[in-house]
Amino acid sequence: VTDDVDVAANLDLVLDQINQAELSAGRPTGAARLVAVSKTQPVEAIRPALAAGHRLYGENRVQEAQAKWPELKAEFPDARLHLIGPLQTNKVKQAVALFDAIQTLDRPKLAKAIATEIARSGKEIDCFIEINVGEEEQKAGIAPQEADAFIAMCRDDLALPIMGLMCIPPAAAEPAPYFALLAKIAERNELAEISMGMSADYETAIEFGASLVRVGTAIFGPRRPRPD
Ligand SMILES: *Cc1c(COP(=O)(O)O)cnc(C)c1O
């Protein structure tokens, strides 16, 4: 099923380049952790990465993750799963049950729904607020100038465990200024986790302070057609 993609070798290479990027940025080894983005990939493609010892993964759809991860988590109980795609309020219950972190908190209604579900279920889950760093009309996320107030509301009014911020910079632009902006918002709000950087630009993201990079195709090869 994995065709000619050597997932374990790719994983090694990406982890190596993360180390190199940390080194050249003068950051400690391990400062940037890898979220292996396994969206659209079948469980057979994910298993080699798990077998190689990698434990942190990202999926962008609740339903797809539900179809794949209960069996993988049963096999690898210390695997951790982050939601990196948009979350509808009617899927909050399932998302809180399955994921260890939600990186895409992007509106008050969703924040309230997650807070309610955490209180109801007693499940612990880390939250990241998505910032629309490029202020793009079509993109999810809180506008940079509204970030401080939204973070405060989530922490103070809803008591949500806000661990950090995430962003997806504009596709065509040089990402560095957007990475710098996200790091600045995180710093002034005393948030330790900064989720930014994908296959094409994770080394740059590490240079600008990423604590989590989200890498898919560089590990698993091209995305597959969705099973649905
Ligand atoms: C798919 C995805 C990634 C990984 O993208 P690649 O270019 O395949 O590395 C990272 N972040 C988010 C939010 C994604 O949806």
Side-chain angles (χ1 to χ4, degrees):
V1 185
T2 52
D3 310 325
D4 50 352
V5 178
D6 188 340
V7 169
N10 290 343
L11 176 67
D12 259 356
L13 199 72
V14 169
L15 289 171
D16 233 46
Q17 304 202 310
I18 289 173
N19 280 338
Q20 289 299 326
E22 288 168 337
L23 203 64
S24 52
R27 301 181 60 200
T29 300
R33 282 167 298 138
L34 172 65
V35 179
V37 177
S38 51
K39 68 186 187 198
T40 81
Q41 302 295 340
V43 291
E44 301 78 57
I46 305 170
R47 262 205 196 90
L50 284 159
H54 193 72
R55 289 295 177 267
L56 181 55
Y57 293 83
E59 290 277 348
N60 72 335
R61 291 190 183 188
V62 175
Q63 241 165 327
E64 183 188 335
Q66 272 185 318
K68 287 151 57 175
W69 280 93
E71 100 181 66
L72 292 172
K73 276 196 166 188
E75 256 177 86
F76 301 92
D78 55 345
R80 292 290 171 265
L81 193 58
H82 285 203
L83 179 64
I84 60 166
L87 179 57
Q88 297 166 268
T89 47
N90 64 3
K91 298 230 175 82
V92 163
K93 188 174 175 174
Q94 294 149 288
V96 169
L98 178 65
F99 289 91
D100 300 288
I102 294 173
Q103 290 204 5
T104 47
L105 213 175
D106 64 355
R107 56 197 193 280
K109 191 182 168 199
L110 180 61
K112 285 175 191 129
I114 294 171
T116 302
E117 180 55 23
I118 289 174
R120 191 199 67 78
S121 64
K123 164 90 190 283
E124 283 181 31
I125 189 166
D126 292 341
C127 295
F128 291 63
I129 292 167
E130 181 173 355
I131 306 294
N132 187 357
V133 284
E135 300 181 64
E136 294 171 281
E137 202 71 55
Q138 80 287 1
K139 222 170 232 173
I142 301 292
Q145 64 275 13
E146 287 160 18
D148 296 354
F150 186 77
I151 293 164
M153 187 277 286
C154 287
R155 283 171 157 168
D156 304 341
D157 301 349
L158 299 175
L160 279 170
I162 305 295
M163 311 309 287
L165 305 177
M166 84 81 98
C167 76
I168 309 168
E174 163 59 42
Y178 299 102
F179 292 155
L181 173 61
L182 193 72
K184 195 171 124 197
I185 298 171
E187 188 183 12
R188 72 171 179 245
N189 286 282
E190 295 177 345
L191 290 167
E193 300 284 1
I194 304 173
S195 172
M196 58 189 189
M198 317 200 328
S199 290
D201 53 21
Y202 65 92
E203 287 147 303
T204 307
I206 290 168
E207 187 187 331
F208 283 87
S211 69
L212 293 168
V213 293
R214 310 178 307 265
V215 178
T217 50
I219 299 167
F220 297 105
R223 287 193 248 293
R224 320 290 182 107
R226 300 248 175 211
D228 56 36

